[in-house]
Amino acid sequence: MSNVTERRAIVVVGGGPAGLAAAIAAYEAGETDVLVLERDTKLGGILNQCIHNGFGLHTFKEELTGPEYASRFIDRARELGIECRLGTMVLDISPERVVTTVSAEEGIRHIEAGAVILAMGCRERPRGALATPGYRPAGVYSAGTAQRLVNIEGQMPGREVVILGSGDIGLIMARRMTFEGAHVACVAEIMPYSGGLKRNIVQCLDDFGIPLLLSHTVTRVEGKDRVEAVTIAEVDERMRPIPGTEVTYPCDTLLLSVGLLPENELSRDAGVKLSPVTRGPVVNESLETSIPGVFACGNVLHVHDLVDYVSEESAAAGRSAARYVSGATVRADGGIDVVATDGVRYTVPSVISPERMGDNLTVRFRVGNVYRDHYVSVYFDDERVQHRKKRVMAPGEMEQVTIKKADLLKRDAIKTITVKLEEE
């Protein structure tokens, strides 16, 4: 492109936990020309407002708050001298890996990258998708917005609270609002199971006597200028409210924790193939997308339950990007498709080239319901090679299996790797 302003080996889009881990790993793998682009005025991403503990148990073998966890990576990036441009919005990524940015200091710039790592994170599902009858009065917030108001801005959204959706942010905000003196009447969840981690249900709801109403949803919001009450009803198997089960809860605040969506507008516009299940990019064993040299990691790829797994995955993406720009990546045609079925909703990655993978490859997935005493099985074509019993599996918690390169290479022409759940 004639309007390229500069050229960089690796450009990382996003300065949150995923982007920082990817940038550090790429640098430590030998590629020192790494640039991190972050639209906010500080690094750390969503972790800056997650002041609760529980982070870092896998990565650092100790319990940290979100800001403490982020600071470990921020400090390491600074030690290495990795350039991080703050207040810089990425407008476009071309299929040729030209990244267009805009900032108050530099205006519009065009950066030609040897490799691009997508690490934009995720956003909350908007309340408009809920189609709840009633006005749209003040007092209806996404759980993440309420978290920022309380933890960063020092503002209380309200005092009488109902929470719709049992995602982890909603569960954590039930406890946080209680700490700040609010009364949380209940958490309603339309599904017959929680969308959050079991430990958050125990520590954030059970420990404070906050009821979790499964198979329930908000059917009406009362109030014109400010929320005055919400009506909650039980739902049937088709998610339809059951007449006669309605209960009205007086409240001044409704928090919505109804799911997270990978932030993939840039990916889509660049032509990256997206998964209809995760809404994140389809990637191979190197976390490379359908566009050569463009990699994805963290919550922009698929929504994680633990930030430790985000860091682990993102480091792998950083090392893959470093290999790509150095020319060390082995060329491989096609690959082995990874098929998710029988209770497994998706896998990351979804295609594997044995020649390009390391000795061991972690394949992460989520299940589509609550399963008890089921086996996680892995098949190479029709041959079952793994069969591991799990006492309980739930959609809110990520699962994983490990694929060994040696096991793939000693078999001829495997067409598919299948990950499924089995009762015996």
Side-chain angles (χ1 to χ4, degrees):
M1 281 180 75
S2 59
N3 60 351
V4 169
T5 311
E6 62 180 307
R7 289 175 171 80
R8 303 299 291 260
I10 297 176
V11 173
V12 181
V13 184
L20 291 171
I24 291 166
Y27 191 103
E28 292 178 339
E31 183 47 73
T32 58
D33 183 18
V34 180
L35 172 63
V36 176
L37 304 172
E38 170 54 51
R39 65 186 178 187
D40 204 348
T41 55
K42 60 176 68 174
L43 296 169
I46 197 67
L47 290 182
N48 290 321
Q49 68 185 53
C50 299
I51 65 173
H52 53 280
N53 60 7
F55 301 93
L57 290 170
H58 295 268
T59 306
F60 299 111
K61 309 306 179 191
E62 59 181 306
E63 200 169 28
L64 304 172
T65 66
E68 287 172 334
Y69 186 93
S71 71
R72 300 282 179 99
F73 288 88
I74 295 170
D75 292 346
R76 180 59 178 157
R78 287 173 177 160
E79 284 176 15
L80 297 174
I82 295 172
E83 182 182 355
C84 300
R85 291 183 191 164
L86 303 179
T88 301
M89 176 76 75
V90 175
L91 301 177
D92 180 70
I93 302 170
S94 78
E96 296 76 32
R97 302 189 300 278
V98 175
V99 182
T100 302
T101 70
V102 64
S103 67
E105 291 78 18
E106 297 185 322
I108 293 180
R109 294 181 70 87
H110 304 281
I111 307 167
E112 186 177 71
V116 174
I117 301 176
L118 306 173
M120 294 88 74
C122 61
R123 67 175 186 272
E124 292 180 280
R125 192 183 299 274
R127 72 180 188 185
L130 298 175
T132 303
Y135 291 99
R136 290 295 181 258
V140 181
Y141 300 90
S142 70
T145 298
Q147 186 181 57
R148 181 176 179 87
L149 286 171
V150 175
N151 294 346
I152 303 292
E153 310 294 342
Q155 303 288 332
M156 274 295 282
R159 293 291 172 182
E160 287 290 331
V161 183
V162 169
I163 299 176
L164 174 61
S166 61
D168 287 311
I169 305 175
L171 299 176
I172 288 164
M173 282 309 296
R175 177 178 63 183
R176 188 75 181 97
M177 295 293 284
T178 302
F179 280 162
E180 292 298 326
H183 172 247
V184 180
C186 65
V187 175
E189 168 58 58
I190 195 169
M191 302 300 289
Y193 50 79
S194 171
L197 293 169
K198 177 66 175 177
R199 75 180 190 197
N200 284 334
I201 298 172
V202 173
Q203 296 174 3
C204 301
L205 300 187
D206 296 351
D207 287 357
F208 296 91
I210 300 170
L212 173 61
L213 307 178
L214 298 176
S215 298
H216 283 73
T217 192
V218 171
T219 58
R220 187 163 188 83
V221 178
E222 303 287 347
K224 193 167 184 180
D225 298 320
R226 175 83 193 194
V227 174
E228 297 174 2
V230 298
T231 300
I232 293 177
E234 190 174 351
V235 299
D236 60 20
E237 298 83 3
R238 297 185 180 180
M239 310 298 170
R240 296 178 302 190
I242 301 172
T245 63
E246 299 89 352
V247 176
T248 298
Y249 292 82
C251 62
D252 59 20
T253 304
L254 173 64
L255 301 188
L256 305 174
S257 181
V258 292
L260 300 169
L261 299 173
E263 191 82 75
N264 269 304
E265 284 70 23
L266 285 172
S267 314
R268 185 183 299 108
D269 292 345
V272 169
K273 182 181 178 182
L274 301 181
S275 162
V277 179
T278 66
R279 302 198 184 185
V282 173
V283 296
N284 62 19
E285 76 297 322
S286 303
L287 300 177
E288 187 177 26
T289 70
S290 58
I291 298 179
V294 177
F295 301 81
C297 57
N299 284 349
V300 82
L301 177 56
H302 58 135
V303 176
H304 292 62
D305 52 354
L306 298 178
V307 72
D308 301 79
Y309 294 153
V310 167
S311 301
E312 181 184 319
E313 178 182 273
S314 301
R319 291 189 290 268
S320 294
R323 284 195 300 273
Y324 181 87
V325 297
S326 72
T329 301
V330 176
R331 295 198 176 278
D333 296 326
I336 304 171
D337 289 330
V338 185
V339 177
T341 187
D342 293 343
V344 177
R345 294 188 63 233
Y346 70 88
T347 65
V348 171
S350 56
V351 64
I352 296 173
S353 295
E355 302 84 0
R356 304 205 310 183
M357 65 181 277
D359 291 338
N360 297 296
L361 178 68
T362 299
V363 176
R364 292 198 165 95
F365 65 92
R366 285 185 190 267
V367 297
N369 209 327
V370 176
Y371 293 91
R372 299 184 186 278
D373 296 321
H374 275 62
Y375 291 85
V376 177
S377 299
V378 178
Y379 285 78
F380 293 170
D381 291 332
D382 295 327
E383 179 189 0
R384 189 167 70 188
V385 295
Q386 292 186 38
H387 194 56
R388 177 170 52 93
K389 190 172 186 177
K390 292 277 292 185
R391 193 170 66 83
V392 63
M393 289 176 282
E397 306 203 15
M398 193 172 291
E399 304 289 341
Q400 64 184 47
V401 294
T402 300
I403 305 294
K404 296 182 178 180
K405 181 175 185 173
D407 290 342
L408 294 174
L409 293 180
K410 69 183 180 184
R411 292 170 172 82
D412 294 328
I414 299 173
K415 293 184 174 60
T416 60
I417 298 170
T418 303
V419 183
K420 63 165 66 174
L421 304 185
E422 296 180 314
E423 292 189 52
E424 58 183 31

